[in-house]
Structure formats: structure tokens, C-alpha cells
Amino acid sequence: MSTEGRSYVSPRSLEKTDGFQNSNNEQKTWLRVGLYACLIILAYYASARVGLILAFGHSNVTPVWPPSGIAVAALLIFGRRYWPALAVAAFLVNLTTGLSAPIALILATGNTLEYVIAVLLLVRYGFDEEFQSLRDLILLIILGAIASPLVAATMGTAGLWLGGVIPPSTVLTVWPLYWIGDGMGILVVTPFILVWRHARFSHLSPARWVEVVALAISITLAADTVFLQGSVLPYVLFPLAIWAELRFAQLGATMTVLAISAVAVWGTVHGLGPFQQGVTTERMTNLELYLAAFTLTTLALGALVLARRNAARIIIAHTVQLENLNEELDAFAYTVSHDLRAPLRAIDAFARILVTDYAKQLEPEAKEYLELVVNNAQQMDHLIQSLLAFSKTSQVELNKEMVDVGILISRIIEVLSTTDETVEQIIHVSELPPVKADPELLRQVFVNLLTNAIKFTAKKPDAKIDISYLRKDGKNVYFIKDNGVGFDEIYANKIFDIFQRLNTAEQYEGTGAGLAIVQRIIKRHGGQIWAEAQIDKGATFFFTLS
């Protein structure tokens, strides 16, 4: 076979090319991993140096340990395989504080175990790193800020004692401060990183930017007044936190917590603010308790605000989706009904022609079959008309105005009396209050309910229909009561479904669409409809209009 004009690539060369590409991909992956590891080490080390400036005495214990929050956030975002970077960073931090290598290794081991355990527990119990719910906050508090720091606090305090950094008499004082400091670092810094890494500001209007600046200035001034000047109590910061949460949800909450914590720790360590009284341990303890309360309250409220917003968005989305589906269903029903009527009329017409013009040529059985075709075609036409009427109730625009219900019903009874003279005798109308509604649709409601009551009282010699109203929960409740055949109340909700009938067409005429139309009209007015009944004792239909 000739290969002229074609380029030939051998399988071996293809293997070499694939191997080269795979090698490049692996190199890029390792370069990315190395870059992330270096960034994690740098961020951990830099935040540790800041934290050590605020250390308790010479114990390497701080009121808030920022590296713990950075470490947990890094493992959640980049993955648990970066734990060696955290181990190296923790060792370097402890070694550069003057601790011996073995003691620094003990503290670094405790720190690393804390971070890995925290992330393992959080992932195990379904923590969402987007930090969008109150459940995520609870998991972070219990598993991240309370449980996991126990390891680092125990190993760290033991290491400091073994290294002679702290005397045995202060072990029970240092351990809880170590534990709370690490926990506060996770509680303050981790949510901030998780939330702000997705922050987008392009959608903010100029008015919102003005509000952001005003909030930032207010928090700064308030924090300075409380923790650096000590002229007011720290509880004045809670209204600002509420402002931040209500307007900016978790973004505002995490920023407020971080800013207040930083200023509070700085002021307290330097003997300023409301926690300047007492020895160092007392001041640190009071500070940590305050920060814990402030942080938990602020983040919890921020999570609740965000959850409410998300729930509102979901409800709106579902509402829009349902409205669209209803519109599509109504349009489909309307279109199908129109498309069905043409062939149905043809079937009915040709069947009638056969029955009338060719009756003598047809066998009795064939004639009977054709009559069945005609009857069923007519019944189908009634169903289609009902379906059209049902779909139109949601398409007609509401034109609400004050309606005199008494006059409306009088006109309806007058029309109904033209076909049944007994109507005026069996219907009793009480004085009814006016209502704001669409007059045509409200007329349809009363027509359907009245014809329904007349139909089911027709076989009663003492038929009676009452139209009245009552007051319930500050609303007017209109009702139509009859003493007809009634029904079993277990079907009280079913009767409002389209084409649902409790009786056969032979017993009572109709298609089963009348009550469904009534319910749809009332719901469009923002009202409710329900029924009460007993078999052979009648039924009462109640409805409200907003």
C-alpha cells in the first residue's frame, strides 16, 4: 500500500509523546502543590509571629492563635495532603521562639494533630466549606473550636513544662488558655477565610459602598473607644455587629468578629480597655470569655440571616417555577382543548348523519353503537368546555372592585329562576357585607356553588339553601349551606380536584370541574375554601376572600 501524501507516526513515537505530556502534567501538578505548600507555610508563619506578639508571659500561649484558623481553612480548601506543610510551619514557629528542637517538635506535633483531627471530624459530619448555614457553625464550634484543640493544648502545655518554659504551678492555668486560644483562632479566622474567599463586590451599588465605609468607621471608632480608651462598656459593640449581620450576613459577621478580636486582644495585652484589672491570667480569661460570647452571637446571627435569605430565595425560585408550570399547563390545556374539539365535532357530526340518514340501512345493534358514539362525543365536548373554563380562570386578569354581594346574588337567582321556578322559594339570602373582588369571577363562584347546591337538593321535598356569612379571625367567611345528599367528609379535599366526582353522571349531571374552578378563583383572590358535610344531611361550603 502506498503512503504517498500521508504522514506516518509510529506507535513508539506516540508513546513517547504521551509520556512527555504526562510528565509535563505531573511536573505542573507538583509545582502547584509546592507553591501552595510554600504559601501555607508563609501565611502560617506570618500569622504566628503576629500572634506571638500577644503571647501570655513567655509561654507561647496567646488569647487568640490565628495560625490555627489559617491551618484548618487551608486543609478544608486545598485538601488534607498539605498537612506536612503545616507541620513544617509549626515546627519553625516554635523553634524560632527559643525552644529546643525536641520541645518545638512536641508542640508542632500537637498543633498538626489538632488541625488534621479538626478537618477529619468536620468532613466526617458533613461540614460545608462554603459556611452557609447554622449547622456549619455548630459543627465548627463543637468539632473545630472545642474538641480538636484539646490535643494541642495538652501536648503543648506538657511540652512547655518539660522544656522548663513554664513552672509546674502554672500548668493548670496555661492549659485552658492554650485550649481557648487555639479554639478562638479557629472560630475567628477560619470562617473569615472561608466566607471572604468567595466575596464579590462588583454588584454593590454606590449607596452600599457608602454603608460599608460607614460601618467600617463605626466599628473602628467603637473598638478604639472600648478597648483602647476603656471609656465605655464592650456591650455597645453588639448593635454594630447586628447592623453588619443584617445588612451583609456572613461577610459582615466574620469581618466584625476579626476586627473586634484584633483590637480587643491588642488593648488587653497592653493593659488597656475594660479587661485591664487583675493579673494577666484574669485579664486573658475575661477577654477570652467576652470574645467567645461576642463571636458566637455574631456568627450565629449572621448564619441565621443568611439562612433566611437563602430560604427566601428558594421560596421565590419555587414560586416562579410553579407559576411558570401553571402557565404552561394552562396554555397546554387550552391548546389541547381547542385542538380536540375540531376532530370531536367531526366524529359527532358524521355519527349523527349515519344515525339519521342511514337509519333504515343499519342493524339495530349498529344503530345503538352509533348512538353511544354520539353520547360519548357530547360528554367529551362538555369535559373539554369545562377544561377550557378551568384554564381561563387563571388567565383572566383580576380587576378588583367593591362588590355588593347581596345584589350580585339576587341577579344570579333571577337568572336561575328562568329555568327553575322553585329556585326563589328554596334559596334564603341573609344580609351580606360587600367585598373587594373581581365581579365576574365572584359571580362565577356563586353560580357554581348555587347550581351545585340546587342539583344535590333536587330530590329533597323540603329542599333548602341558605346563603350567609360569619366572622372568623377578623375575616368575613361567606357560606352556602344546603340540606341535600351531602357526602363523606373524608372526601372534603378531593371534591375540589378537577374532574373528581363523588357521584356518577347517571345520578347527577356535570363534569366535576365546577368546584375546581371555584377553588382556583378563590385562591387567585388570596382566599380559602373548605367544605363540611354529612351523608344525606347536606353540605356547607365556606370561603374567604383577602
Side-chain angles (χ1 to χ4, degrees):
M1 178 183 294
S2 174
T3 60
E4 184 179 354
R6 301 179 183 180
S7 60
Y8 177 73
V9 181
S10 67
R12 181 170 296 179
S13 63
L14 285 173
E15 290 178 3
K16 290 181 178 179
T17 302
D18 291 342
F20 180 73
Q21 291 176 346
N22 291 335
S23 177
N24 279 342
N25 290 335
E26 289 180 3
Q27 289 178 359
K28 290 179 180 178
T29 300
W30 282 110
L31 284 174
R32 184 171 63 252
V33 170
L35 177 62
Y36 287 163
C38 291
L39 290 175
I40 291 172
I41 292 172
L42 288 174
Y44 188 100
Y45 188 85
S47 63
R49 300 314 302 178
V50 174
L52 288 172
I53 295 175
L54 309 175
F56 163 54
H58 302 285
S59 63
N60 288 15
V61 178
T62 66
V64 177
W65 184 238
S68 62
I70 292 176
V72 172
L75 294 181
L76 285 172
I77 296 170
F78 299 113
R80 283 164 283 177
R81 63 179 176 177
Y82 287 94
W83 69 263
L86 294 173
V88 171
F91 179 73
L92 290 175
V93 167
N94 287 291
L95 189 64
T96 55
T97 60
L99 296 176
S100 63
I103 302 302
L105 182 62
I106 293 175
L107 268 67
T109 301
N111 294 141
T112 307
L113 286 174
E114 172 192 346
Y115 312 144
V116 173
I117 290 172
V119 173
L120 286 174
L121 290 175
L122 290 171
V123 173
R124 169 66 178 81
Y125 288 97
F127 177 81
D128 184 1
E129 66 182 55
E130 300 296 326
F131 203 68
Q132 297 288 309
S133 68
L134 185 60
R135 180 179 182 274
D136 295 329
L137 174 61
I138 294 173
L139 288 175
L140 187 66
I141 293 171
I142 296 175
L143 304 178
I146 295 178
S148 60
L150 294 173
V151 177
T154 301
M155 294 186 67
T157 305
L160 293 173
W161 172 59
L162 291 173
V165 178
I166 59 172
S169 59
T170 63
V171 168
L172 295 180
T173 301
V174 170
W175 185 91
L177 292 176
Y178 200 126
W179 172 54
I180 297 175
D182 270 30
M184 286 301 300
I186 294 174
L187 201 56
V188 171
V189 179
T190 300
F192 177 82
I193 296 174
L194 296 180
V195 171
W196 278 80
R197 71 190 180 104
H198 293 301
R200 300 291 183 271
F201 304 103
S202 57
H203 66 284
L204 289 180
S205 64
R208 291 284 273 181
W209 277 111
V210 171
E211 185 178 4
V212 169
V213 173
L215 177 62
I217 293 174
S218 300
I219 291 175
T220 302
L221 294 176
D224 175 77
T225 304
V226 172
F227 296 110
L228 301 184
Q229 300 179 27
S231 56
V232 295
L233 292 174
Y235 304 106
V236 300
L237 295 169
F238 281 95
L240 293 176
I242 294 173
W243 176 10
E245 296 142 11
L246 292 179
R247 298 295 292 163
F248 304 99
Q250 291 292 63
L251 287 173
T254 53
M255 173 55 79
T256 302
V257 166
L258 184 65
I260 296 299
S261 298
V263 177
V265 172
W266 176 270
T268 303
V269 167
H270 289 82
L272 304 173
F275 307 114
Q276 58 181 300
Q277 302 298 325
V279 298
T280 304
T281 55
E282 291 179 1
R283 290 190 287 118
M284 292 299 104
T285 301
N286 292 333
L287 171 65
E288 288 180 329
L289 290 176
Y290 171 79
L291 289 180
F294 181 83
T295 301
L296 293 177
T297 303
T298 303
L299 293 181
L301 185 55
L304 290 173
V305 170
L306 185 61
R308 184 176 178 180
R309 289 182 182 177
N310 290 337
R313 291 192 189 102
I314 292 172
I315 291 172
I316 292 172
H318 286 176
T319 302
V320 171
Q321 185 179 16
L322 287 173
E323 288 176 351
N324 292 336
L325 286 174
N326 283 333
E327 290 177 1
E328 291 175 3
L329 286 173
D330 289 336
F332 175 77
Y334 192 80
T335 303
V336 168
S337 300
H338 272 286
D339 292 343
L340 286 176
R341 296 191 81 178
L344 187 62
R345 285 172 177 171
I347 293 171
D348 180 55
F350 284 114
R352 287 176 183 276
I353 291 172
L354 289 173
V355 171
T356 56
D357 296 351
Y358 298 91
K360 295 180 180 180
Q361 302 175 30
L362 295 174
E363 296 290 334
E365 186 175 6
K367 186 177 180 181
E368 182 180 350
Y369 289 155
L370 286 172
E371 289 176 348
L372 285 174
V373 171
V374 172
N375 292 335
N376 280 280
Q378 291 178 345
Q379 178 65 19
M380 186 66 180
D381 188 60
H382 292 324
L383 290 173
I384 291 173
Q385 290 179 12
S386 298
L387 186 59
L388 282 170
F390 182 72
S391 65
K392 285 180 180 178
T393 56
S394 60
Q395 296 174 354
V396 176
E397 184 179 353
L398 286 179
N399 295 309
K400 290 186 178 182
E401 59 183 68
M402 291 306 299
V403 179
D404 190 319
V405 180
I407 294 176
L408 179 68
I409 292 175
S410 298
R411 292 173 179 171
I412 294 172
I413 294 174
E414 185 178 345
V415 174
L416 294 175
S417 298
T418 59
T419 56
D420 187 351
E421 296 179 354
T422 64
V423 168
E424 291 184 343
Q425 301 174 9
I426 65 173
I427 297 179
H428 305 276
V429 183
S430 302
E431 185 175 348
L432 298 169
V435 66
K436 190 172 184 179
D438 185 296
E440 289 302 318
L441 292 179
L442 184 60
R443 178 183 176 281
Q444 189 66 54
V445 167
F446 279 108
V447 167
N448 287 12
L449 291 177
L450 279 173
T451 53
N452 199 63
I454 292 170
K455 177 172 61 177
F456 289 109
T457 57
K459 298 178 182 180
K460 288 277 187 175
D462 57 343
K464 183 181 179 182
I465 300 173
D466 293 320
I467 305 175
S468 186
Y469 85 104
L470 55 87
R471 293 285 295 176
K472 183 179 181 181
D473 298 330
K475 294 182 180 180
N476 291 328
V477 181
Y478 299 90
F479 65 86
I480 297 178
K481 180 179 181 181
D482 67 67
N483 62 345
V485 296
F487 58 86
D488 193 328
E489 281 200 354
I490 62 173
Y491 302 110
N493 291 324
K494 183 179 179 182
I495 60 174
F496 295 106
D497 295 337
I498 185 73
F499 299 141
Q500 291 294 327
R501 296 173 54 90
L502 302 182
N503 308 96
T504 63
E506 289 75 16
Q507 292 175 308
Y508 298 96
E509 64 179 9
T511 60
L515 291 178
I517 292 173
V518 168
Q519 185 187 53
R520 174 166 286 196
I521 292 173
I522 289 173
K523 283 187 175 181
R524 287 199 65 195
H525 281 78
Q528 292 180 312
I529 184 170
W530 65 95
E532 297 176 0
Q534 287 184 326
I535 298 175
D536 294 328
K537 292 186 178 180
T540 305
F541 287 86
F542 302 87
F543 69 89
T544 62
L545 297 170
S546 62

